Amino acid sequence: MKRIFILFILFTTFLSCKKEKGKESTKLQINKGNGMSINSIGNTTKKIIEQQVIHGYAIKEAGLDMESDYNYEKEDYDVIKQVSIDILKSYNYRALNNENFQNKVSKIFNFKSIEKDINFLIEFACPLDKIKYQLDINYTVSNNNPLFIDLKNNIILEAFFAPQLMNYKIEYPDIYNKEEKAEKKRSINGVFIDIIKWKDVKDLAEQRKKNIQTLVARNMYLFNDSRAHFKWLLLNDENFI
């Protein structure tokens, strides 16, 4: 009965998003060996975080809504994946072995094609702004924070940006200083566009707290059977439940 209810909610979400997305959700699979190793991630983290921060939260042309023109690639995902893993470890998340994790994912999401390290599950949910996620040379997801199953590390996560999960002002003050000095406008095809900087997002701290709570609650409930986190999800993550 629980499985039927979850599938019904997911199906309802798909219908509500269909007009806005213009297409049905599709699985994204990334072949093994395309990503960085954990060791190489350590050498690349700061570079990617600086790239994300300096590029800005969004751009805004006069009279139009804010949107992101950042091309989110595999290197960005690898950094956020490692940040997510570190967060979960700090909350004592216990990663299941591969067989148990795959069985859980298959049962909960009715997701059968579990063959690659990273699997795109759902474009979640209906975004107002679009971001281009180029995690595979053959596939692009144009949506906001798609949800992924990471089979190498046995977690589920969203493709956030570093400032949405970490206080970069404290952890990387030199990057913050560069952001402060960066230009507030950018020329695109001869038109000057306002850059909305991450440091100027008023509720960024609250967003970060909610993102961390959501990451932890989803994984702790689904894969560690935490009833306390299930109650939090009921109150704060209704679409996912």
Side-chain angles (χ1 to χ4, degrees):
M1 184 67 184
K2 178 181 175 183
R3 176 180 171 184
I4 295 173
F5 176 72
I6 292 175
L7 291 176
F8 173 76
I9 294 298
L10 287 174
F11 180 70
T12 303
T13 302
F14 276 120
L15 290 180
S16 65
C17 294
K18 189 174 182 181
K19 288 185 179 179
E20 185 172 351
K21 292 190 293 186
K23 63 181 182 67
E24 294 181 355
S25 295
T26 309
K27 294 169 188 171
L28 170 63
Q29 298 185 329
I30 298 175
N31 293 327
K32 295 181 180 180
N34 287 345
M36 297 182 291
S37 68
I38 295 298
N39 291 332
S40 64
I41 287 175
N43 297 327
T44 309
T45 297
K46 186 173 180 179
K47 175 184 175 182
I48 296 297
I49 293 173
E50 181 174 337
Q51 177 177 290
Q52 291 181 0
V53 170
I54 299 303
H55 192 88
Y57 169 74
I59 57 174
K60 188 179 188 310
E61 188 176 350
L64 299 178
D65 294 332
M66 290 190 300
E67 63 178 17
S68 175
D69 65 340
Y70 187 92
N71 291 339
Y72 198 104
E73 299 181 350
K74 184 66 166 56
E75 289 78 8
D76 298 280
Y77 175 87
D78 283 324
V79 169
I80 298 309
K81 174 191 68 179
Q82 189 58 46
V83 172
S84 299
I85 291 170
D86 292 341
I87 290 171
L88 286 169
K89 285 181 178 178
S90 73
Y91 282 85
N92 298 317
Y93 173 71
R94 304 182 310 278
L96 300 179
N97 62 40
N98 292 341
E99 181 180 358
N100 288 337
F101 181 80
Q102 292 183 22
N103 287 339
K104 279 260 190 179
V105 167
S106 178
K107 180 179 179 181
I108 294 168
F109 298 109
N110 195 30
F111 191 85
K112 304 298 184 183
S113 300
I114 304 176
E115 301 173 356
K116 309 300 180 183
D117 281 351
I118 304 170
N119 297 268
F120 169 65
L121 180 61
I122 181 174
E123 293 185 9
F124 182 83
C126 302
L128 296 178
D129 53 335
K130 305 292 183 180
I131 299 173
K132 178 182 176 184
Y133 294 89
Q134 183 73 53
L135 299 192
D136 183 283
I137 60 173
N138 299 316
Y139 195 94
T140 300
V141 180
S142 181
N143 211 322
N144 190 34
N145 294 348
L147 186 63
F148 293 94
I149 304 169
D150 193 303
L151 288 173
K152 188 172 183 179
N153 301 282
N154 293 346
I155 62 174
I156 61 171
L157 69 155
E158 293 179 69
F160 284 117
F161 289 86
Q164 293 175 304
L165 287 178
M166 63 165 57
N167 189 342
Y168 68 97
K169 180 179 179 180
I170 300 299
E171 297 189 43
Y172 297 97
D174 55 330
I175 294 178
Y176 180 80
N177 291 334
K178 289 182 180 180
E179 181 191 27
E180 281 197 312
K181 298 174 182 178
E183 297 292 333
K184 294 184 177 181
K185 290 184 179 292
R186 181 186 308 150
S187 177
I188 301 179
N189 297 325
V191 178
F192 280 95
I193 307 296
D194 291 325
I195 301 172
I196 312 301
K197 297 184 178 183
W198 283 101
K199 72 181 189 66
D200 295 328
V201 178
K202 294 181 179 180
D203 63 342
L204 184 58
E206 289 77 14
Q207 286 185 35
R208 185 185 303 122
K209 180 180 178 181
K210 178 69 176 294
N211 293 336
I212 292 173
Q213 289 174 326
T214 302
L215 169 71
V216 172
R218 288 175 178 176
N219 283 278
M220 292 292 287
Y221 166 59
L222 293 179
F223 308 119
N224 285 182
D225 300 318
S226 171
R227 300 300 299 177
H229 287 94
F230 173 63
K231 293 179 180 179
W232 187 91
L233 289 169
L234 284 175
L235 296 173
N236 299 279
D237 200 6
E238 183 179 353
N239 284 341
F240 180 79
I241 291 297

